[in-house]
């Protein structure tokens, strides 16, 4: 679910330094990001620590099975970077400084992980990319680009909904915002266009100012500032995606 659940795991201890050359070779640079965007400017991204590296393997295998190359997996510690590189999974170093043990929902480390997620998103947006960011346990089983492209230029943010019943008749439609917007938004699977950087910077600041609050709820609070008026436009238009839940 939202809040970076893909980074946790069981066990503990500190991870060793990366073995695959200089860690600087795996920095998330603008050049690396741009090289991984597809023709629609979309890049698929997740992240794992060493205890959940197998989640990263599975996530990457599903993407590769679709013959997609526009993806990266972030390594939250040196051991994770080793493991991802050993399997030739396109990866980058995002040393988190957090425990490699189980974060535990609602713990201090869980909240800090949310702040790292905002930093990752902002780095991607500043590079001019339009990321689809998922938790590592949210698998991509279809190429999301055609779904996203058909919603352009209106859709700036697409986020999954925890609404417990569908508001549409087909699985390739958006949920009806007027009916589903009151439910929790699950930021474990979302698309963000680079032109909403200002809103994401506000979200990051809110996460920093309120470390005991859930990043997922703060995300919704920030975008509600725009009014979430439907169908009129707002500073950041948000749609609730039924497609991503499949």
């Amino acid at each position: 679910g939202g809040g970076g659940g893909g980074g946790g795991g069981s066990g503990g201890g500190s991870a060793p330094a990366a073995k695959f050359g200089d860690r600087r070779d795996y920095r998330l640079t603008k050049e690396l990001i741009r090289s991984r965007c597809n023709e629609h400017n979309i890049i698929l991204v997740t992240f794992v620590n060493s205890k959940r590296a197998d989640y990263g393997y599975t996530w990457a295998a599903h993407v590769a099975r679709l013959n997609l190359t526009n993806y990266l997996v972030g390594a939250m510690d040196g051991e994770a970077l080793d493991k991802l590189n050993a399997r030739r999974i396109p990866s980058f170093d995002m040393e988190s400084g957090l425990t490699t043990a189980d974060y535990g929902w609602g713990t201090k480390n869980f909240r800090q992980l949310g702040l790292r997620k905002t930093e990752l998103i902002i780095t991607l947006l500043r590079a001019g990319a339009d990321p689809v960011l998922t938790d590592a346990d949210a698998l991509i089983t279809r190429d999301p680009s055609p779904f996203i492209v058909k919603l352009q230029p209106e859709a700036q943010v697409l986020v999954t909904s925890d609404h417990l019943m569908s508001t549409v008749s087909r699985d390739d439609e958006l949920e009806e915002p007027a009916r589903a917007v009151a439910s929790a938004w699950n930021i474990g699977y979302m698309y963000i266009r680079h032109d909403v950087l200002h809103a994401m910077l506000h979200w990051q600041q809110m996460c920093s100012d309120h470390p005991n609050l859930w990043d997922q709820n703060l995300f919704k609070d920030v975008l509600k500032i725009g009014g979430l008026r439907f169908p009129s436009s707002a500073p950041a238009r948000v749609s609730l995606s039924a497609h991503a839940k499949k």
Side-chain angles (χ1 to χ4, degrees), residues 148-160:
I148 293 168
V149 168
K150 75 177 183 179
L151 298 172
Q152 299 302 319
E154 184 179 21
Q156 292 174 287
V157 177
L158 294 169
V159 59
T160 48

Side-chain angles (χ1 to χ4, degrees), residues 104-224:
W105 194 95
T107 64
K108 180 180 179 181
N109 278 306
F110 180 88
R111 307 297 188 199
Q112 291 177 335
L113 185 59
L115 185 57
R116 294 311 309 274
K117 187 173 186 175
T118 68
E119 294 170 357
L120 172 57
I121 290 170
I122 287 167
T123 299
L124 294 165
L125 299 184
R126 281 181 166 155
D130 301 332
V132 172
L133 184 70
T134 84
D135 288 348
D137 58 358
L139 301 180
I140 294 176
T141 57
R142 285 185 285 177
D143 181 2
S145 292
F147 180 78
I148 293 168
V149 168
K150 75 177 183 179
L151 298 172
Q152 299 302 319
E154 184 179 21
Q156 292 174 287
V157 177
L158 294 169
V159 59
T160 48
S161 169
D162 280 345
H163 198 64
L164 297 181
M165 57 188 301
S166 179
T167 63
V168 295
S169 58
R170 303 201 322 260
D171 68 0
D172 62 347
E173 296 179 310
L174 294 175
E175 300 285 5
E176 293 181 13
R179 294 173 58 190
V181 74
S183 297
W185 298 358
N186 191 325
I187 62 172
Y189 198 132
M190 58 181 175
Y191 161 81
I192 303 174
R193 207 166 69 196
H194 66 277
D195 56 358
V196 296
L197 174 60
H198 62 291
M200 297 301 99
L201 288 168
H202 190 170
W203 177 38
Q204 181 186 46
Q205 188 61 52
M206 291 286 283
C207 290
S208 178
D209 292 345
H210 305 281
N212 294 321
L213 298 182
W214 195 8
D215 62 330
Q216 181 163 279
N217 289 341
L218 292 173
F219 179 85
K220 186 174 184 179
D221 289 344
V222 165
L223 293 179
K224 282 168 64 177

